[in-house]
Amino acid sequence: MATRQHRFTIRKSVEIAPGVVHLFLTTPDGPAEHLPGQFVMAQLEDSEGEFTRSYSFSELPGSDANELVISRVNDGRGSEIIFGLTAGDELSAKGPFGRFVLRNESPQRYIMLATGTGIAPFRAMLPELRRRIAEEGAEVIICQGARERSGLLFGDEFKAFAAAHERARYYACLSRDESVDAEQHECAGRLTMILEQLGPNAESDIVYLCGNPDMIDESIEMLKARNFTPRQIRREKYFS
Ligand SMILES: Cc1cc2nc3c(=O)[nH]c(=O)nc-3n(C[C@H](O)[C@H](O)[C@H](O)COP(=O)(O)OP(=O)(O)OC[C@H]3O[C@@H](n4cnc5c(N)ncnc54)[C@H](O)[C@@H]3O)c2cc1C
Ligand SMILES: NC(=O)c1ccc[n+]([C@@H]2O[C@H](COP(=O)([O-])OP(=O)(O)OC[C@H]3O[C@@H](n4cnc5c(N)ncnc54)[C@H](OP(=O)(O)O)[C@@H]3O)[C@@H](O)[C@H]2O)c1
């Protein structure tokens, strides 16, 4: 899909968790086209000059707006601007970019791991994952990691996805809250713990990792030790 210059208008900005904003963006030409899993590069400017920050598209295909989900980083240059945006403001951005997309592949099992706002691309992939479950018999396991329950972004959508499909599962790992509810698919600890428990198998699985770079590096080490090749591990690190 060709990269284009976009001039978005903020339709609304909603704080969906402490320090996390959900932005709805429109253009006169309709939503910017992209594949689920791709991102835009926002072109920002502050007193130090111009700079860019990347944000993944999170909306479901067919939505009438593009959606971004952004976590506030303390003293972050981009965060200062993004968290000041209100309805009617404009945001310039280029995109789409990225190869963190579902490819033409037919593994028996998809294992998707995300921390924090790293869940955004997986939300956008849900309809295609649903199709692959129905038409290709794939199994899909989505694991979301957050410090506390309030950080389980779109958790209800993933729960509904898992409830609707026999071959879909959802786990929520809370790293700083011991009061977990197993009926709500919650467990105490980090995502890497659940990855180990799933017993990833290089013969049958493809693993997608998004968000915290330490989680991604640790998961890759674990998967390499289980004979996964780089082609069987897809990753999008949110900072280096
Ligand atoms: C491909 C891609 C897609 C991304 N998509 C999203 C997205 O959908 N939503 C989203 O919230 N972010 C996303 N990010 C991260 C985002 O681009 C910014 O890096 C992040 O928001 C911090 O930017 P900032 O300007 O506020 O902070 P900066 O000014 O860049 O950083 C301030 C300080 O915080 C540290 N830091 C930077 N990022 C983090 C972090 N995430 N956690 C803790 N410390 C940090 C820096 O090392 C620095 O010391 C994505 C990154 C990439 C590469
Ligand atoms: N979460 C919040 O309440 C909050 C609110 C506002 C702003 N912020 C800021 O936003 C940024 C991102 O915060 P975030 O909480 O979304 O993301 P984060 O700090 O990347 O943490 C998200 C999850 O990833 C886990 N994690 C970290 N390293 C890991 C590893 N090596 N393996 C497995 N899991 C790992 C964390 O566990 P641990 O808890 O064990 O580290 C946590 O459960 C930070 O700068 C933060 O200060 C956070």
Side-chain angles (χ1 to χ4, degrees):
M1 211 159 278
T3 298
R4 290 183 50 200
Q5 178 67 48
H6 302 284
R7 198 166 177 80
F8 292 109
T9 301
I10 311 296
R11 179 190 286 170
K12 61 178 172 173
S13 165
V14 184
E15 189 169 9
I16 54 168
V20 180
V21 77
H22 187 176
L23 291 183
F24 293 76
L25 312 174
T26 56
T27 77
D29 305 328
E33 285 188 14
H34 63 88
L35 297 172
Q38 290 189 304
F39 64 91
V40 276
M41 227 181 254
Q43 297 154 310
L44 306 172
E45 186 170 7
D46 62 12
S47 56
E48 291 172 45
E50 295 179 2
F51 61 102
T52 60
R53 289 292 180 268
S54 303
Y55 303 110
S56 303
F57 289 107
S58 71
E59 78 278 3
L60 299 175
S63 168
D64 67 351
N66 292 119
E67 298 173 33
L68 307 177
V69 186
I70 303 177
S71 182
R72 179 193 280 276
V73 169
N74 285 339
D75 300 324
R77 282 178 79 188
S79 299
E80 289 295 323
I81 296 172
I82 296 290
F83 279 76
L85 293 174
T86 56
D89 287 346
E90 294 196 328
L91 179 69
S92 294
K94 253 187 175 168
F97 296 102
R99 296 189 300 163
F100 189 70
V101 295
L102 291 165
R103 303 199 190 149
N104 287 328
E105 59 198 6
S106 315
Q108 283 175 30
R109 192 163 75 150
Y110 293 89
I111 300 179
M112 333 291 274
L113 259 63
T115 59
T117 49
I119 199 70
F122 298 147
R123 181 183 189 231
M125 290 176 188
L126 283 178
E128 175 60 14
L129 289 171
R130 197 171 283 133
R131 191 194 67 74
R132 292 183 187 205
I133 291 173
E135 293 178 15
E136 298 171 10
E139 190 184 345
V140 175
I141 304 176
I142 297 177
C143 309
Q144 179 171 28
R147 297 176 185 185
E148 294 155 3
R149 190 167 295 109
S150 62
L152 294 175
L153 311 173
F154 309 112
D156 288 344
E157 294 182 24
F158 292 103
K159 273 182 219 161
F161 174 75
H165 304 281
E166 210 175 296
R167 281 194 294 275
R169 273 187 278 162
Y170 166 72
Y171 296 99
C173 296
L174 302 178
S175 56
R176 305 191 193 188
D177 186 348
E178 301 272 302
S179 67
V180 293
D181 181 350
E183 297 221 336
Q184 295 297 315
H185 316 274
E186 292 175 1
C187 44
R190 282 179 156 190
L191 271 185
T192 29
M193 185 195 73
I194 204 93
L195 180 60
E196 184 82 58
Q197 286 173 10
L198 289 171
N201 182 346
E203 298 294 317
S204 55
D205 303 342
I206 289 193
V207 180
Y208 284 75
L209 307 164
C210 190
N212 183 295
D214 294 335
M215 178 279 288
I216 292 177
D217 288 342
E218 279 183 37
S219 300
I220 290 175
E221 284 312 305
M222 193 188 293
L223 294 166
K224 276 191 192 157
R226 290 173 177 260
N227 300 321
F228 276 73
T229 62
R231 284 183 58 82
Q232 295 170 296
I233 309 171
R234 314 278 152 72
R235 63 195 165 82
E236 191 81 281
K237 288 187 181 182
Y238 272 8
F239 61 107
S240 55

